[in-house]
Amino acid sequence: MDEVRDALKAIAQGQNQLLSAVDSVSQRVSKLEKGQEATENGAPGRSATATPLVAGYSKTPPLMPADAGSQSPPSSSPLSLSTAAEAQSGFTSRIILTTYPKQIGIKPLPMEWGHPDPIKRGPVTVLRTASTVRRRNAIGAHGGSYSIYYALAMASKELDADHRPDFTNTEPAVNIGPFPQWGDKKKIVAMDPWGHQVPWLFKDTMETENGMPPHPPLDLRPTIAVTKAHMKLPELEESVRSGRLVPDGKVCINSTGELAVTKFAVEPVWYLPGVAERFGIDEGTLRRSLFEHTGGMYPELITRGDIKVFMPPIGGLTVYVFGDPANMSDPSKRLALRIHDECNGSDVFGSDICTCRPYLIFGIEEAVKEAQNGGSGVVIYFRKEGRALGEVTKVRESAVVYNARKRGEDRASDYFKRTENIAGVKDMRFQALMPDILHWLGITKIDRMLSMSNMKHDAIVGQGIPIHERVELPESWIPADSRVEIDAKITAGYFTTGHRMTADELKAVQGRIWEE
């Protein structure tokens, strides 16, 4: 038995040495090719007609042996690329569609999600660059929905395939955590709690894990960024004029209502077992649904059950903190919170058919006031356009819901029914993953929750974070034409301290028609 084990170990070592040799040759050829392009063109740059130095070679060489099921179609296939086309595009016709556990050359970096020690937890490693592809422990791509633009930039050669980020002076503008919640795999399943410190925490890992020179270091990248900024919104100047906000030179800086803010941008990183548990389903069902309903975009959801982390192609979130960020996690300080889901039509372009922008501005005002009183104010903005139904669905819904309203046929009583006719469901935001950002910020209680949504409230409380007061949007902030929306929501169960309409009263609520 020992002899067999030793023989297998020797084979594995030989394969690794062979792969290392292939990488070294590939990198050398790539450098020579670039040098030839520079000579032919008179200057460094890209050449549309450059011929590869080695027939059939491209800048993305085969990285590892793959079984027949993972290879691209044979050269006779209409999908295959000619050598000239490969040279022009910089891509090879041989594509690794998927990988498998224990495949030759595959050795994911260890990942122990939820471990309180970040080094033992391990970095999230997802890129398919030559130096990193064998060590990946995550499926998907950086940038969420923007990863498609990254791919387009690579394909069009607007982005150099060899580009590596320079992280100089990109350290977080403020310190955050670590908090005990970061080490609880049940508390944070939808983001990487160490994502803002990757280039510095895992510097040694990046430089040493890939083996001996001439191999480049592992390509690890942050999934969270932290900075400080100023915020200027036209309504805030009116807030100052009316006396609702008072400039203090720190949070509300001046009479124009300019605000000082600390900003956190967060990409989604899903720990699949934790996400499945949060939704009460098994991991296999989740993986299959993600695979099938993204058009088979990520085969490794099926073939790589050993990889438990997924970076989905969805929008992330941004946190805006008013006052000292340290106050968020201090239980002795009061905290006002607005969880806001994206609504481009209202948030950006000021449509008065819904209450989204008014509630956003109201939330910012109340957050600022809490910060000025010595506490903390937080506004969290999620990219979940149209109740996560998407903007196309939302506009199609508008053709039924809002256009019916303009024809004088719409009633608040039919608001959600019309939505379900189009989308099949009232709401796909599924707030179960939303509280993760609160755990990451170290928030353990909310004094004033600036939201009427029961889904948000229940998700937060269900994660063990008490909410002491719920604050609805004041009547004076509600545009007249958004009464259909807000009254329908209140009747459907949204929080209110005011009157909840009967079914007959709701039928009488109608917005303006087109001619108005």
Side-chain angles (χ1 to χ4, degrees):
M1 195 66 184
D2 290 341
E3 292 179 359
V4 173
R5 189 182 298 109
D6 291 342
L8 291 174
K9 185 176 180 181
I11 292 172
Q13 289 175 342
Q15 289 170 339
N16 286 333
Q17 290 172 358
L18 177 60
L19 290 168
S20 296
V22 171
D23 273 354
S24 297
V25 172
S26 298
Q27 291 163 21
R28 177 61 179 161
V29 170
S30 181
K31 289 179 181 178
L32 291 172
E33 183 186 29
K34 288 183 179 179
Q36 179 175 326
E37 287 182 5
T39 301
E40 292 176 352
N41 291 285
R46 296 182 289 269
S47 171
T49 58
T51 301
L53 299 181
V54 179
Y57 169 78
S58 77
K59 294 179 184 176
T60 310
L63 293 174
M64 64 201 75
D67 59 17
S70 67
Q71 297 184 30
S72 60
S75 58
S76 60
S77 166
L79 294 178
S80 64
L81 302 175
S82 67
T83 301
E86 289 178 19
Q88 182 173 340
S89 70
F91 291 91
T92 178
S93 60
R94 184 176 185 276
I95 301 169
I96 304 298
L97 295 179
T98 189
T99 56
Y100 302 88
K102 299 181 180 180
Q103 184 176 345
I104 295 174
I106 296 294
K107 189 181 179 182
L109 287 179
M111 166 61 65
E112 188 178 345
W113 192 270
H115 198 290
D117 182 336
I119 303 303
K120 293 181 179 178
R121 199 294 302 265
V124 174
T125 313
V126 75
L127 290 172
R128 298 179 67 94
T129 54
S131 67
T132 307
V133 62
R134 296 191 195 97
R135 309 310 311 274
R136 290 177 308 130
N137 58 21
I139 301 164
H142 283 285
S145 57
Y146 297 99
S147 62
I148 302 299
Y149 289 104
Y150 184 94
L152 180 60
M154 293 284 289
S156 63
K157 293 191 174 183
E158 294 297 323
L159 179 63
D160 192 329
D162 295 331
H163 173 73
R164 298 292 288 269
D166 181 351
F167 295 113
T168 303
N169 295 325
T170 64
E171 293 88 349
V174 298
N175 293 323
I176 186 79
F179 300 109
Q181 299 94 311
W182 293 16
D184 187 338
K185 66 170 62 177
K186 293 183 181 293
K187 294 290 186 184
I188 299 181
V189 301
M191 59 181 290
D192 177 8
W194 304 100
H196 57 311
Q197 297 179 359
V198 168
W200 306 280
L201 270 179
F202 302 108
K203 185 174 185 295
D204 291 343
T205 303
M206 293 170 69
E207 293 177 351
T208 63
E209 274 288 340
N210 198 49
M212 300 296 291
H215 303 299
L218 290 176
D219 193 350
L220 306 180
R221 303 189 182 185
T223 56
I224 302 174
V226 186
T227 189
K228 290 189 175 184
H230 282 190
M231 176 186 291
K232 296 189 72 173
L233 294 168
E235 291 94 335
L236 298 178
E237 186 170 1
E238 171 58 29
S239 300
V240 172
R241 280 199 302 265
S242 67
R244 292 197 306 269
L245 285 185
V246 178
D248 62 345
K250 294 181 179 180
V251 183
C252 184
I253 299 171
N254 53 41
S255 60
T256 67
E258 187 173 353
L259 306 177
V261 64
T262 303
K263 185 164 74 170
F264 303 80
V266 182
E267 289 181 5
V269 180
W270 288 6
Y271 175 59
L272 292 173
V275 172
E277 183 178 353
R278 193 79 64 86
F279 281 89
I281 57 179
D282 66 89
E283 183 187 343
T285 299
L286 174 63
R287 284 175 172 269
R288 178 166 181 166
S289 186
L290 289 171
F291 170 71
E292 291 184 346
H293 296 287
T294 57
M297 187 181 294
Y298 299 102
E300 288 171 319
L301 287 167
I302 304 301
T303 65
R304 293 299 304 274
D306 60 316
I307 294 181
K308 301 297 185 181
V309 177
F310 176 49
M311 296 180 66
I314 61 174
L317 64 93
T318 311
V319 182
Y320 298 88
V321 179
F322 303 94
D324 185 351
N327 289 346
M328 290 185 292
S329 57
D330 186 341
S332 69
K333 306 288 187 180
R334 286 177 57 83
L335 182 137
L337 173 70
R338 168 68 184 164
I339 300 286
H340 191 93
D341 293 327
E342 178 183 26
C343 175
N344 182 66
S346 179
D347 295 343
V348 179
F349 294 101
S351 169
D352 67 348
I353 209 164
C354 65
T355 58
C356 296
R357 185 178 176 96
Y359 221 150
L360 178 61
I361 301 299
F362 175 70
I364 291 172
E365 278 196 14
E366 296 302 306
V368 168
K369 292 175 187 177
E370 203 66 71
Q372 289 178 322
N373 289 333
S376 182
V378 179
V379 174
I380 305 177
Y381 194 92
F382 281 86
R383 270 72 184 186
K384 295 179 180 178
E385 176 66 55
R387 299 195 291 280
L389 300 170
E391 195 160 18
V392 170
T393 299
K394 178 180 179 180
V395 172
R396 285 194 297 137
E397 170 194 318
S398 297
V400 174
V401 178
Y402 297 152
N403 289 357
R405 180 187 307 178
K406 299 313 175 191
R407 294 186 178 100
E409 299 172 6
D410 188 47
R411 297 289 185 274
S413 54
D414 294 329
Y415 181 82
F416 284 116
K417 180 180 178 181
R418 293 183 184 278
T419 300
E420 288 188 83
N421 287 343
I422 293 292
V425 63
K426 294 178 183 178
D427 197 320
M428 285 203 304
R429 284 174 289 185
F430 301 125
Q431 302 291 353
L433 301 178
M434 173 267 293
D436 287 31
I437 185 61
L438 305 182
H439 290 313
W440 184 74
L441 294 169
I443 292 173
T444 56
K445 53 84 183 174
I446 298 164
D447 296 281
R448 304 184 73 228
M449 177 71 178
L450 306 162
S451 171
M452 299 165 69
S453 168
N454 288 337
M455 289 177 66
K456 294 174 183 176
H457 172 274
D458 295 347
I460 292 171
V461 173
Q463 278 291 302
I465 302 174
I467 296 174
H468 299 318
E469 179 186 4
R470 301 175 71 179
V471 183
E472 62 188 305
L473 185 64
E475 284 285 325
S476 60
W477 287 74
I478 300 175
D481 203 38
S482 68
R483 292 265 30 144
V484 168
E485 178 222 28
I486 195 67
D487 288 337
K489 288 181 175 179
I490 290 172
T491 302
Y494 269 49
F495 170 77
T496 183
T497 58
H499 175 64
R500 198 178 298 276
M501 292 184 174
T502 64
D504 289 338
E505 289 175 323
L506 196 63
K507 289 179 181 178
V509 179
Q510 181 180 348
R512 66 174 182 266
I513 60 175
W514 269 331
E515 288 73 17
E516 298 176 328

